[in-house]
Amino acid sequence: KQEVTQIPAALSVPEGENLVLNCSFTDSAIYNLQWFRQDPGKGLTSLLLIQSSQREQTSGRLNASLDKSSGRSTLYIAASQPGDSATYLCAAHNYGQNFVFGPGTRLSVLP
Amino acid sequence: GAGVSQSPRYKVAKRGQDVALRCDPISGHVSLFWYQQALGQGPEFLTYFQNEAQLDKSGLPSDRFFAERPEGSVSTLKIQRTQQEDSAVYLCATSVTRNEKLFFGSGTQLSVL
């Protein structure tokens, strides 16, 4: 059974810093992994989806990497801004099964 | 539609009442998922539809939970005889196929008093 964890649970950084959010999964036979952002009281917004055949995926200031062999994905946020403050969740997906979510990392970017 | 639409946005129910939560998927999305999210936690899978067929309901916590998607488009999650532990945000997500990118609605926040 796939299990997903995220470290740290919460993170507070000053504006302008680069930061890394971590996601670990137990079953390395994943098909893809998706990173989401969730603002308070809102649904999830997809940020990046990285396929098992890919090592990295980039969108603007965001870069997601995937290392299947070690069961890890990282989300790198460059030059953080207060508007980046939100909870970031990763979800691992094995083919034909359901996305399994981590508990999220709550990010605060201080002006 | 342009995105996944869920209604109502908020629902307050007295313990023992039945509730129905609605999800309007993105047009053409075959796969539809329901998730339950407790405060401070990630979404937990409830059930999955491929068109009108409910292929996986392994995450439904009890037989008080029932979901349907009769015409392969709009889906309804029904909770009978609500209990306080049912209080959570219920999220609907859809995708073109089961293995592709998920798109979420804004959720329904259910409070059972």
Side-chain angles (χ1 to χ4, degrees), chain A residues 65-76:
Chain A
S65 68
L66 178 64
D67 184 342
K68 285 178 54 179
S69 61
S70 66
R72 292 182 182 178
S73 176
T74 61
L75 180 67
Y76 175 83

Side-chain angles (χ1 to χ4, degrees), chain B:
Chain B
V4 180
S5 178
Q6 291 189 247
S7 60
R9 186 72 182 87
Y10 303 95
K11 178 68 179 177
V12 178
K14 291 183 179 179
R15 190 165 58 95
Q17 281 186 335
D18 298 349
V19 298
L21 313 179
R22 176 186 170 106
C23 174
D24 265 288
I26 294 172
S27 178
H29 280 200
V30 167
S31 297
L32 186 146
F33 304 79
W34 284 98
Y35 282 85
Q36 180 189 59
Q37 187 176 27
L39 191 64
Q41 297 183 22
E44 294 283 341
F45 169 78
L46 293 176
T47 188
Y48 163 66
F49 289 87
Q50 179 176 299
N51 293 309
E52 70 279 1
Q54 188 175 20
L55 298 186
D56 188 346
K57 53 182 180 179
S58 62
L60 296 176
S62 77
D63 59 6
R64 295 185 296 104
F65 286 71
F66 172 76
E68 59 182 7
R69 193 186 185 196
E71 297 178 357
S73 180
V74 172
S75 177
T76 304
L77 177 66
K78 298 179 179 178
I79 309 173
Q80 298 175 327
R81 304 181 303 281
T82 52
Q83 304 294 316
Q84 284 189 324
E85 61 263 29
D86 300 335
S87 296
V89 175
Y90 291 85
L91 295 164
C92 175
T94 71
S95 58
V96 174
T97 69
R98 189 174 194 174
N99 299 302
E100 298 185 46
K101 187 175 179 179
L102 281 180
F103 294 84
F104 277 83
S106 297
T108 294
Q109 185 170 330
L110 173 65
S111 299
V112 182
L113 306 178

Side-chain angles (χ1 to χ4, degrees), chain A residues 40-111:
Chain A
K42 301 287 180 64
L44 281 69
T45 300
S46 179
L47 297 173
L48 290 165
L49 181 137
I50 184 164
Q51 301 290 353
S52 62
S53 58
Q54 298 175 312
R55 300 273 304 177
E56 286 188 358
Q57 189 70 249
T58 298
S59 175
R61 293 183 294 108
L62 305 179
N63 176 276
S65 68
L66 178 64
D67 184 342
K68 285 178 54 179
S69 61
S70 66
R72 292 182 182 178
S73 176
T74 61
L75 180 67
Y76 175 83
I77 302 177
S80 58
Q81 302 171 0
D84 295 331
S85 297
T87 297
Y88 291 80
L89 299 108
C90 67
H93 176 58
N94 294 65
Y95 193 85
Q97 299 181 32
N98 304 306
F99 280 86
V100 176
F101 284 82
T105 293
R106 191 171 66 255
L107 173 66
S108 296
V109 180
L110 306 175

